[in-house]
Amino acid sequence: EDQHFEIPFNQGLFEKKDKLLKEAQKTLEATNADSDEKETLDRAFKFFKKALDAFLGKGAHDKIFGSRKQDVIEETDVLYFVIG
């Protein structure tokens, strides 16, 4: 969406990464235990929003995705791009 974000490469970045990795593991465990598809997707989208906002700054997720329909593949791709 033609947005520009900067990620400072410092100790804070590694702390955020470690914290989000632990949360991702918990989210995945909860997802595996839950058979409700809607709840699983809601949990995933909350994680994507939190992760992108943590790395790129508050509100970044909304700037990137705006009012578009939520798409797991698209949000996963963006998160992987940011992490890369």
Side-chain angles (χ1 to χ4, degrees):
E1 294 298 317
D2 296 326
Q3 297 291 325
H4 178 77
F5 300 95
E6 292 185 19
I7 301 174
F9 192 77
N10 58 29
Q11 186 61 36
L13 176 63
F14 293 104
E15 291 168 3
K16 288 176 188 177
K17 177 203 56 94
D18 291 341
K19 182 179 177 183
L20 288 168
L21 180 58
K22 289 177 184 177
E23 186 169 336
Q25 290 170 331
K26 288 179 184 178
T27 300
L28 184 57
E29 289 169 8
T31 297
N32 289 338
D34 193 354
S35 62
D36 183 332
E37 188 175 295
K38 184 182 181 329
E39 183 65 31
T40 297
L41 288 172
D42 287 346
R43 191 178 293 115
F45 288 125
K46 285 178 188 174
F47 174 75
F48 290 137
K49 181 177 177 65
K50 183 174 185 174
L52 288 171
D53 282 356
F55 283 124
L56 302 176
K58 186 174 180 161
H61 178 275
D62 293 339
K63 287 179 184 175
I64 294 168
F65 293 103
S67 61
R68 287 192 272 176
K69 185 176 179 183
Q70 291 178 309
D71 182 305
V72 172
I73 302 301
E74 193 173 272
E75 294 200 26
T76 301
D77 286 347
V78 171
L79 184 56
Y80 272 106
F81 176 78
V82 168
I83 290 170

Coordinates of all heavy atoms in Angstrom, one line a residue:
E1 N 0.8 -1.2 0.0 CA 0.0 0.0 0.0 C 0.9 1.3 0.0 O 0.4 2.3 0.5 CB -0.9 0.0 1.2 CG -2.0 -1.1 1.2 CD -2.9 -1.0 0.0 OE1 -3.4 0.1 -0.3 OE2 -3.2 -2.0 -0.6
D2 N 2.1 1.2 -0.5 CA 3.0 2.3 -0.6 C 3.3 3.0 0.7 O 3.5 4.2 0.8 CB 2.4 3.3 -1.6 CG 2.3 2.8 -3.0 OD1 3.2 2.0 -3.4 OD2 1.4 3.2 -3.7
Q3 N 3.3 2.2 1.8 CA 3.7 2.7 3.1 C 5.2 2.4 3.3 O 5.7 1.5 2.8 CB 2.9 2.0 4.2 CG 1.4 2.2 4.1 CD 1.0 3.6 4.5 OE1 1.6 4.3 5.3 NE2 0.0 4.1 3.8
H4 N 5.8 3.3 4.0 CA 7.2 3.1 4.3 C 7.4 3.0 5.8 O 6.9 3.8 6.6 CB 8.0 4.3 3.8 CG 9.5 4.3 4.1 ND1 10.3 3.4 3.4 CD2 10.2 4.8 5.1 CE1 11.5 3.5 3.9 NE2 11.5 4.4 4.9
F5 N 8.1 1.9 6.2 CA 8.3 1.7 7.6 C 9.8 1.4 7.8 O 10.4 0.8 7.0 CB 7.5 0.5 8.2 CG 6.0 0.6 8.0 CD1 5.4 0.1 6.9 CD2 5.3 1.3 8.9 CE1 4.0 0.2 6.7 CE2 3.9 1.4 8.8 CZ 3.3 0.9 7.7
E6 N 10.3 1.8 9.0 CA 11.7 1.5 9.3 C 11.8 0.7 10.6 O 11.0 0.9 11.5 CB 12.5 2.8 9.5 CG 12.7 3.6 8.2 CD 13.6 4.8 8.4 OE1 14.3 4.9 9.4 OE2 13.5 5.7 7.5
I7 N 12.6 -0.3 10.5 CA 12.8 -1.2 11.7 C 14.2 -0.9 12.2 O 15.2 -1.3 11.5 CB 12.6 -2.6 11.3 CG1 11.2 -2.8 10.7 CG2 12.8 -3.5 12.5 CD1 10.9 -4.2 10.2
P8 N 14.4 -0.3 13.4 CA 15.7 -0.2 13.9 C 16.3 -1.5 14.3 O 15.7 -2.3 15.0 CB 15.5 0.7 15.2 CG 14.1 0.7 15.4 CD 13.3 0.2 14.2
F9 N 17.5 -1.8 13.8 CA 18.2 -3.0 14.1 C 19.0 -2.8 15.3 O 20.2 -2.4 15.3 CB 19.1 -3.4 12.9 CG 19.7 -4.8 12.9 CD1 18.8 -5.8 12.6 CD2 21.0 -5.0 13.3 CE1 19.3 -7.1 12.6 CE2 21.4 -6.3 13.3 CZ 20.6 -7.4 13.0
N10 N 18.4 -3.2 16.5 CA 19.1 -3.0 17.8 C 18.6 -4.1 18.7 O 17.8 -5.0 18.4 CB 18.8 -1.6 18.3 CG 17.3 -1.3 18.5 OD1 16.5 -2.2 18.7 ND2 17.0 0.0 18.3
Q11 N 19.0 -4.0 20.0 CA 18.6 -5.0 21.0 C 17.1 -5.1 21.1 O 16.5 -6.2 21.4 CB 19.3 -4.8 22.3 CG 19.1 -5.8 23.3 CD 19.6 -7.2 22.9 OE1 20.6 -7.3 22.3 NE2 18.9 -8.3 23.3
G12 N 16.4 -4.0 21.1 CA 15.0 -4.0 21.2 C 14.3 -4.9 20.2 O 13.3 -5.5 20.5
L13 N 14.8 -4.9 19.0 CA 14.3 -5.7 17.9 C 14.3 -7.2 18.3 O 13.4 -7.9 18.1 CB 15.0 -5.5 16.6 CG 14.6 -6.3 15.4 CD1 13.1 -6.1 15.0 CD2 15.5 -6.1 14.2
F14 N 15.5 -7.6 18.8 CA 15.6 -9.0 19.2 C 14.7 -9.4 20.4 O 14.2 -10.5 20.5 CB 17.1 -9.3 19.6 CG 18.0 -9.2 18.4 CD1 18.8 -8.1 18.2 CD2 18.0 -10.2 17.4 CE1 19.6 -8.0 17.1 CE2 18.8 -10.1 16.3 CZ 19.6 -9.0 16.1
E15 N 14.5 -8.4 21.3 CA 13.6 -8.7 22.4 C 12.1 -8.8 21.9 O 11.4 -9.7 22.4 CB 13.7 -7.5 23.4 CG 15.0 -7.5 24.2 CD 15.3 -6.2 25.0 OE1 14.4 -5.4 25.0 OE2 16.4 -6.1 25.5
K16 N 11.8 -8.0 21.0 CA 10.4 -8.1 20.4 C 10.3 -9.4 19.7 O 9.2 -10.1 19.8 CB 10.2 -6.9 19.3 CG 10.0 -5.6 19.9 CD 9.8 -4.5 18.8 CE 9.8 -3.2 19.4 NZ 9.8 -2.1 18.4
K17 N 11.3 -9.8 18.9 CA 11.3 -11.1 18.2 C 11.1 -12.2 19.1 O 10.2 -13.1 18.9 CB 12.5 -11.2 17.3 CG 12.6 -12.6 16.6 CD 14.0 -13.0 16.3 CE 14.9 -13.1 17.4 NZ 15.0 -14.4 18.1
D18 N 11.8 -12.3 20.2 CA 11.8 -13.3 21.2 C 10.4 -13.4 21.8 O 9.8 -14.5 22.0 CB 12.8 -13.2 22.3 CG 14.2 -13.4 21.7 OD1 14.4 -14.0 20.6 OD2 15.2 -13.0 22.4
K19 N 9.9 -12.2 22.2 CA 8.5 -12.2 22.8 C 7.4 -12.7 21.8 O 6.6 -13.4 22.2 CB 8.2 -10.7 23.3 CG 6.9 -10.6 23.9 CD 6.7 -9.1 24.4 CE 5.3 -9.0 25.0 NZ 5.0 -7.6 25.4
L20 N 7.5 -12.2 20.6 CA 6.5 -12.6 19.6 C 6.6 -14.1 19.2 O 5.6 -14.7 18.9 CB 6.6 -11.7 18.4 CG 6.1 -10.3 18.6 CD1 6.5 -9.4 17.4 CD2 4.6 -10.3 18.8
L21 N 7.8 -14.6 19.2 CA 8.0 -16.0 19.0 C 7.3 -16.9 20.0 O 6.6 -17.9 19.7 CB 9.5 -16.4 18.9 CG 9.8 -17.8 18.6 CD1 9.2 -18.3 17.3 CD2 11.3 -18.1 18.6
K22 N 7.5 -16.5 21.3 CA 6.8 -17.2 22.4 C 5.3 -17.1 22.2 O 4.5 -18.1 22.4 CB 7.2 -16.7 23.7 CG 8.6 -17.1 24.1 CD 9.0 -16.4 25.4 CE 10.5 -16.7 25.7 NZ 11.0 -16.1 26.9
E23 N 4.8 -15.9 21.8 CA 3.4 -15.7 21.7 C 2.9 -16.5 20.5 O 1.8 -17.1 20.5 CB 3.0 -14.3 21.5 CG 1.5 -14.0 21.4 CD 1.2 -12.6 21.6 OE1 1.9 -11.8 22.1 OE2 0.1 -12.3 21.1
A24 N 3.7 -16.6 19.4 CA 3.3 -17.4 18.2 C 3.1 -18.9 18.6 O 2.2 -19.5 18.1 CB 4.3 -17.2 17.1
Q25 N 4.1 -19.4 19.4 CA 4.0 -20.8 19.8 C 2.7 -21.0 20.6 O 2.0 -22.0 20.5 CB 5.2 -21.1 20.6 CG 6.5 -21.2 19.7 CD 7.7 -21.3 20.5 OE1 7.9 -20.9 21.7 NE2 8.7 -22.0 19.9
K26 N 2.4 -20.1 21.5 CA 1.2 -20.2 22.3 C -0.1 -20.2 21.4 O -1.0 -20.9 21.6 CB 1.1 -19.1 23.4 CG 2.0 -19.3 24.5 CD 1.9 -18.2 25.5 CE 2.9 -18.3 26.6 NZ 2.9 -17.2 27.6
T27 N -0.1 -19.3 20.5 CA -1.2 -19.1 19.6 C -1.4 -20.4 18.7 O -2.5 -20.9 18.6 CB -1.0 -17.9 18.6 OG1 -0.9 -16.7 19.4 CG2 -2.1 -17.8 17.6
L28 N -0.3 -21.0 18.3 CA -0.3 -22.2 17.5 C -0.8 -23.4 18.4 O -1.7 -24.1 17.9 CB 1.1 -22.5 17.0 CG 1.2 -23.7 16.0 CD1 0.2 -23.6 14.9 CD2 2.6 -24.0 15.6
E29 N -0.4 -23.5 19.6 CA -0.9 -24.5 20.5 C -2.4 -24.4 20.7 O -3.1 -25.3 20.7 CB -0.1 -24.5 21.8 CG 1.3 -24.9 21.7 CD 2.1 -24.7 22.9 OE1 1.6 -24.2 24.0 OE2 3.4 -24.9 22.9
A30 N -2.8 -23.2 20.9 CA -4.3 -22.9 21.2 C -5.0 -23.2 19.9 O -6.2 -23.8 20.0 CB -4.5 -21.5 21.6
T31 N -4.5 -22.9 18.8 CA -5.1 -23.2 17.5 C -5.3 -24.7 17.3 O -6.3 -25.2 16.8 CB -4.3 -22.5 16.3 OG1 -4.3 -21.1 16.5 CG2 -4.9 -22.9 15.0
N32 N -4.2 -25.4 17.6 CA -4.3 -26.9 17.4 C -5.3 -27.5 18.4 O -5.9 -28.5 18.0 CB -2.9 -27.5 17.7 CG -1.9 -27.2 16.6 OD1 -2.3 -26.9 15.5 ND2 -0.6 -27.2 16.9
A33 N -5.5 -26.9 19.5 CA -6.5 -27.5 20.5 C -7.9 -27.1 20.2 O -8.8 -27.6 20.7 CB -6.1 -27.0 21.9
D34 N -8.1 -26.1 19.3 CA -9.4 -25.5 19.0 C -9.9 -26.0 17.7 O -9.2 -25.8 16.7 CB -9.4 -24.0 19.1 CG -10.7 -23.3 19.1 OD1 -11.7 -24.0 19.0 OD2 -10.8 -22.1 19.2
S35 N -11.1 -26.5 17.6 CA -11.6 -27.0 16.4 C -12.6 -26.0 15.7 O -13.1 -26.2 14.6 CB -12.4 -28.3 16.6 OG -13.4 -28.2 17.4
D36 N -12.8 -24.9 16.4 CA -13.7 -23.8 15.9 C -12.9 -23.0 14.9 O -12.0 -22.2 15.3 CB -14.2 -23.0 17.0 CG -15.2 -21.9 16.6 OD1 -15.1 -21.5 15.4 OD2 -16.1 -21.6 17.4
E37 N -13.3 -23.1 13.6 CA -12.5 -22.4 12.6 C -12.6 -20.9 12.7 O -11.6 -20.2 12.6 CB -13.1 -22.8 11.2 CG -12.3 -22.2 10.1 CD -12.8 -22.7 8.7 OE1 -12.8 -24.0 8.5 OE2 -13.3 -21.9 7.9
K38 N -13.7 -20.3 13.1 CA -13.8 -18.9 13.3 C -12.9 -18.4 14.4 O -12.2 -17.4 14.3 CB -15.3 -18.5 13.5 CG -15.4 -16.9 13.6 CD -16.8 -16.5 14.0 CE -17.0 -15.1 14.0 NZ -16.0 -14.2 14.5
E39 N -12.9 -19.1 15.5 CA -12.1 -18.8 16.7 C -10.6 -18.9 16.3 O -9.8 -18.0 16.6 CB -12.4 -19.7 17.8 CG -11.6 -19.3 19.1 CD -11.9 -17.9 19.7 OE1 -13.1 -17.5 19.5 OE2 -11.0 -17.3 20.3
T40 N -10.2 -19.9 15.5 CA -8.9 -20.0 15.1 C -8.4 -18.9 14.2 O -7.3 -18.3 14.4 CB -8.7 -21.4 14.3 OG1 -9.0 -22.5 15.2 CG2 -7.3 -21.5 13.7
L41 N -9.3 -18.5 13.3 CA -8.9 -17.3 12.4 C -8.8 -16.0 13.2 O -7.9 -15.2 12.9 CB -9.9 -17.2 11.2 CG -9.8 -18.3 10.2 CD1 -11.0 -18.2 9.2 CD2 -8.5 -18.2 9.4
D42 N -9.8 -15.8 14.1 CA -9.8 -14.6 14.9 C -8.4 -14.5 15.7 O -7.8 -13.5 15.8 CB -10.9 -14.6 15.9 CG -12.3 -14.3 15.2 OD1 -12.3 -13.8 14.0 OD2 -13.3 -14.5 15.8
R43 N -8.0 -15.7 16.3 CA -6.8 -15.7 17.0 C -5.6 -15.4 16.1 O -4.7 -14.6 16.5 CB -6.6 -17.1 17.7 CG -5.5 -17.2 18.7 CD -5.5 -18.6 19.3 NE -6.6 -18.8 20.1 CZ -7.5 -19.8 19.9 NH1 -7.4 -20.6 18.8 NH2 -8.5 -20.0 20.7
A44 N -5.6 -15.9 14.9 CA -4.5 -15.7 14.0 C -4.4 -14.2 13.6 O -3.3 -13.6 13.6 CB -4.7 -16.6 12.8
F45 N -5.6 -13.6 13.3 CA -5.6 -12.2 12.8 C -5.2 -11.3 14.0 O -4.5 -10.3 13.7 CB -6.9 -11.8 12.3 CG -7.2 -12.4 10.9 CD1 -8.3 -13.2 10.7 CD2 -6.3 -12.3 9.9 CE1 -8.6 -13.8 9.4 CE2 -6.6 -12.8 8.6 CZ -7.7 -13.6 8.4
K46 N -5.5 -11.6 15.2 CA -5.1 -10.8 16.4 C -3.6 -10.9 16.5 O -2.9 -9.9 16.8 CB -5.8 -11.3 17.6 CG -7.2 -10.9 17.8 CD -7.8 -11.5 19.0 CE -9.3 -11.2 19.0 NZ -10.0 -11.8 20.2
F47 N -3.0 -12.1 16.3 CA -1.6 -12.2 16.4 C -0.9 -11.4 15.2 O 0.1 -10.7 15.5 CB -1.2 -13.7 16.3 CG 0.3 -13.8 16.2 CD1 1.1 -13.6 17.4 CD2 1.0 -14.1 15.0 CE1 2.5 -13.7 17.3 CE2 2.3 -14.2 15.0 CZ 3.1 -14.0 16.1
F48 N -1.4 -11.5 14.0 CA -0.8 -10.8 12.9 C -0.7 -9.3 13.2 O 0.3 -8.6 13.0 CB -1.5 -11.0 11.6 CG -1.4 -12.4 11.0 CD1 -2.4 -13.1 10.5 CD2 -0.1 -13.0 11.0 CE1 -2.3 -14.3 10.0 CE2 0.0 -14.3 10.5 CZ -1.1 -15.0 10.0
K49 N -1.9 -8.8 13.7 CA -2.0 -7.3 14.0 C -1.0 -7.0 15.1 O -0.2 -6.0 14.9 CB -3.4 -7.0 14.4 CG -3.6 -5.5 14.7 CD -5.0 -5.2 15.1 CE -5.3 -3.8 15.5 NZ -5.1 -2.8 14.4
K50 N -0.9 -7.7 16.1 CA 0.0 -7.4 17.2 C 1.5 -7.5 16.8 O 2.3 -6.6 17.1 CB -0.2 -8.4 18.4 CG 0.6 -8.1 19.6 CD 0.3 -9.0 20.7 CE 1.0 -8.6 22.0 NZ 0.6 -9.4 23.2
A51 N 1.8 -8.5 16.0 CA 3.2 -8.7 15.5 C 3.6 -7.6 14.6 O 4.7 -7.0 14.8 CB 3.3 -10.0 14.8
L52 N 2.8 -7.2 13.6 CA 3.1 -6.2 12.7 C 3.2 -4.8 13.4 O 4.1 -4.0 13.1 CB 2.1 -6.1 11.5 CG 2.3 -7.3 10.5 CD1 1.1 -7.3 9.5 CD2 3.6 -7.2 9.8
D53 N 2.3 -4.5 14.3 CA 2.4 -3.3 15.1 C 3.6 -3.3 16.0 O 4.2 -2.2 16.1 CB 1.1 -3.1 15.9 CG -0.1 -2.6 15.1 OD1 0.1 -2.4 13.9 OD2 -1.2 -2.5 15.7
A54 N 4.0 -4.4 16.5 CA 5.2 -4.4 17.3 C 6.5 -4.1 16.5 O 7.4 -3.4 17.0 CB 5.3 -5.8 18.0
F55 N 6.6 -4.7 15.4 CA 7.8 -4.5 14.5 C 7.8 -3.2 13.8 O 8.8 -2.5 13.7 CB 7.9 -5.6 13.5 CG 8.4 -6.9 14.0 CD1 7.7 -8.1 13.8 CD2 9.6 -7.0 14.7 CE1 8.1 -9.3 14.3 CE2 10.1 -8.2 15.1 CZ 9.3 -9.4 15.0
L56 N 6.6 -2.7 13.3 CA 6.6 -1.5 12.5 C 6.0 -0.3 13.1 O 6.1 0.8 12.5 CB 5.8 -1.9 11.2 CG 6.2 -3.0 10.4 CD1 5.3 -3.3 9.2 CD2 7.6 -2.8 9.9
G57 N 5.5 -0.4 14.3 CA 4.9 0.7 15.0 C 3.4 0.6 15.1 O 2.7 0.0 14.2
K58 N 2.8 1.2 16.1 CA 1.4 1.1 16.4 C 0.6 1.7 15.2 O 0.9 2.7 14.6 CB 1.1 1.9 17.6 CG -0.4 1.8 18.0 CD -0.7 2.5 19.3 CE -2.2 2.3 19.6 NZ -2.5 2.5 21.0
G59 N -0.4 0.9 14.8 CA -1.2 1.3 13.7 C -0.7 0.8 12.3 O -1.4 1.0 11.3
A60 N 0.5 0.2 12.3 CA 1.1 -0.2 11.0 C 0.2 -1.3 10.3 O 0.0 -1.2 9.1 CB 2.4 -0.8 11.2
H61 N -0.4 -2.2 11.0 CA -1.2 -3.2 10.4 C -2.4 -2.6 9.7 O -2.7 -2.9 8.5 CB -1.7 -4.2 11.5 CG -2.6 -5.2 11.0 ND1 -4.0 -5.0 10.8 CD2 -2.4 -6.5 10.5 CE1 -4.6 -6.1 10.3 NE2 -3.6 -7.0 10.1
D62 N -3.0 -1.6 10.3 CA -4.2 -1.0 9.7 C -3.8 -0.1 8.5 O -4.5 0.0 7.5 CB -4.9 -0.1 10.7 CG -5.6 -0.9 11.8 OD1 -5.8 -2.2 11.6 OD2 -5.8 -0.4 12.9
K63 N -2.6 0.5 8.6 CA -2.1 1.3 7.4 C -1.9 0.3 6.2 O -2.1 0.7 5.1 CB -0.8 2.0 7.8 CG -1.0 3.2 8.7 CD 0.3 3.8 9.0 CE 0.2 5.0 10.0 NZ 1.5 5.5 10.3
I64 N -1.3 -0.8 6.5 CA -1.0 -1.8 5.4 C -2.3 -2.4 4.8 O -2.4 -2.5 3.6 CB -0.1 -2.9 5.9 CG1 1.3 -2.3 6.3 CG2 0.1 -4.0 4.9 CD1 2.2 -3.2 7.1
F65 N -3.2 -2.9 5.7 CA -4.3 -3.6 5.2 C -5.6 -2.8 5.1 O -6.5 -3.3 4.4 CB -4.5 -4.9 6.1 CG -3.4 -5.9 6.0 CD1 -2.5 -6.0 7.0 CD2 -3.3 -6.7 4.9 CE1 -1.4 -6.9 6.9 CE2 -2.3 -7.6 4.7 CZ -1.3 -7.7 5.7
G66 N -5.6 -1.7 5.7 CA -6.8 -0.8 5.6 C -8.1 -1.6 5.8 O -8.2 -2.3 6.8
S67 N -9.1 -1.4 5.0 CA -10.4 -2.0 5.1 C -10.5 -3.2 4.2 O -11.6 -3.7 4.0 CB -11.5 -1.0 4.8 OG -11.3 -0.6 3.4
R68 N -9.4 -3.7 3.7 CA -9.5 -5.0 2.9 C -10.0 -6.1 3.7 O -9.8 -6.2 4.9 CB -8.1 -5.3 2.4 CG -7.6 -4.4 1.3 CD -6.4 -4.9 0.6 NE -5.2 -4.5 1.3 CZ -4.0 -4.9 1.0 NH1 -3.8 -5.8 0.0 NH2 -3.0 -4.5 1.7
K69 N -10.5 -7.1 3.0 CA -11.0 -8.3 3.6 C -9.8 -9.1 4.2 O -8.8 -9.2 3.5 CB -11.8 -9.1 2.6 CG -12.4 -10.4 3.2 CD -13.2 -11.1 2.2 CE -13.8 -12.4 2.8 NZ -14.6 -13.1 1.8
Q70 N -9.9 -9.6 5.4 CA -8.8 -10.3 6.0 C -8.5 -11.6 5.2 O -9.4 -12.3 4.7 CB -9.1 -10.7 7.4 CG -9.2 -9.5 8.3 CD -9.6 -9.9 9.7 OE1 -10.5 -10.6 10.0 NE2 -8.8 -9.4 10.7
D71 N -7.2 -11.8 5.0 CA -6.7 -13.0 4.3 C -5.5 -13.6 5.0 O -4.5 -12.9 5.1 CB -6.4 -12.6 2.8 CG -5.9 -13.7 1.9 OD1 -5.0 -14.4 2.3 OD2 -6.5 -13.9 0.9
V72 N -5.6 -14.8 5.4 CA -4.5 -15.4 6.2 C -3.2 -15.4 5.4 O -2.1 -15.1 5.9 CB -4.9 -16.8 6.7 CG1 -3.7 -17.5 7.3 CG2 -6.0 -16.7 7.7
I73 N -3.3 -15.9 4.2 CA -2.1 -16.0 3.3 C -1.4 -14.6 3.1 O -0.2 -14.5 3.3 CB -2.4 -16.6 2.0 CG1 -3.1 -18.0 2.1 CG2 -1.2 -16.7 1.1 CD1 -2.2 -19.0 2.9
E74 N -2.2 -13.6 2.8 CA -1.7 -12.3 2.6 C -1.0 -11.7 3.9 O 0.1 -11.2 3.8 CB -2.8 -11.4 2.2 CG -2.4 -10.0 1.6 CD -3.5 -9.2 1.1 OE1 -3.9 -9.4 -0.1 OE2 -4.1 -8.5 1.8
E75 N -1.6 -11.9 5.0 CA -1.0 -11.4 6.2 C 0.2 -12.2 6.6 O 1.2 -11.6 7.2 CB -2.1 -11.3 7.3 CG -3.2 -10.3 7.0 CD -4.0 -9.9 8.2 OE1 -3.5 -9.9 9.3 OE2 -5.1 -9.4 8.0
T76 N 0.2 -13.5 6.4 CA 1.3 -14.3 6.7 C 2.5 -13.9 5.8 O 3.6 -13.7 6.3 CB 1.0 -15.8 6.4 OG1 -0.1 -16.2 7.2 CG2 2.2 -16.7 6.7
D77 N 2.2 -13.6 4.5 CA 3.3 -13.2 3.6 C 3.9 -11.9 4.0 O 5.1 -11.7 4.0 CB 2.7 -13.0 2.2 CG 2.5 -14.3 1.5 OD1 2.9 -15.4 2.0 OD2 1.8 -14.3 0.4
V78 N 3.1 -10.9 4.5 CA 3.6 -9.6 4.9 C 4.5 -9.8 6.2 O 5.5 -9.2 6.3 CB 2.5 -8.6 5.1 CG1 3.0 -7.3 5.8 CG2 1.8 -8.3 3.8
L79 N 4.0 -10.6 7.1 CA 4.7 -10.8 8.3 C 6.1 -11.5 8.0 O 7.1 -11.1 8.5 CB 3.9 -11.6 9.3 CG 4.6 -11.8 10.7 CD1 5.0 -10.5 11.3 CD2 3.7 -12.7 11.6
Y80 N 6.1 -12.5 7.2 CA 7.3 -13.1 6.8 C 8.3 -12.1 6.1 O 9.5 -12.2 6.3 CB 7.1 -14.3 5.8 CG 6.9 -15.6 6.6 CD1 5.6 -16.2 6.7 CD2 7.9 -16.3 7.2 CE1 5.4 -17.4 7.4 CE2 7.7 -17.5 7.9 CZ 6.5 -18.0 8.0 OH 6.3 -19.2 8.6
F81 N 7.7 -11.3 5.2 CA 8.5 -10.3 4.6 C 9.2 -9.3 5.6 O 10.4 -9.0 5.5 CB 7.7 -9.4 3.6 CG 8.4 -8.3 3.0 CD1 9.3 -8.5 1.9 CD2 8.2 -7.0 3.4 CE1 10.0 -7.5 1.3 CE2 8.9 -6.0 2.8 CZ 9.8 -6.2 1.8
V82 N 8.4 -8.9 6.6 CA 8.9 -8.0 7.6 C 10.0 -8.7 8.4 O 11.1 -8.1 8.7 CB 7.8 -7.5 8.5 CG1 8.3 -6.8 9.8 CG2 6.9 -6.6 7.8
I83 N 9.8 -9.9 8.8 CA 10.8 -10.7 9.6 C 12.0 -10.9 8.8 O 13.1 -10.8 9.3 CB 10.2 -12.0 10.1 CG1 9.1 -11.8 11.1 CG2 11.3 -12.9 10.6 CD1 8.3 -13.0 11.4
G84 N 11.9 -11.2 7.5 CA 13.0 -11.4 6.6 C 13.9 -10.1 6.5 O 15.1 -10.2 6.4

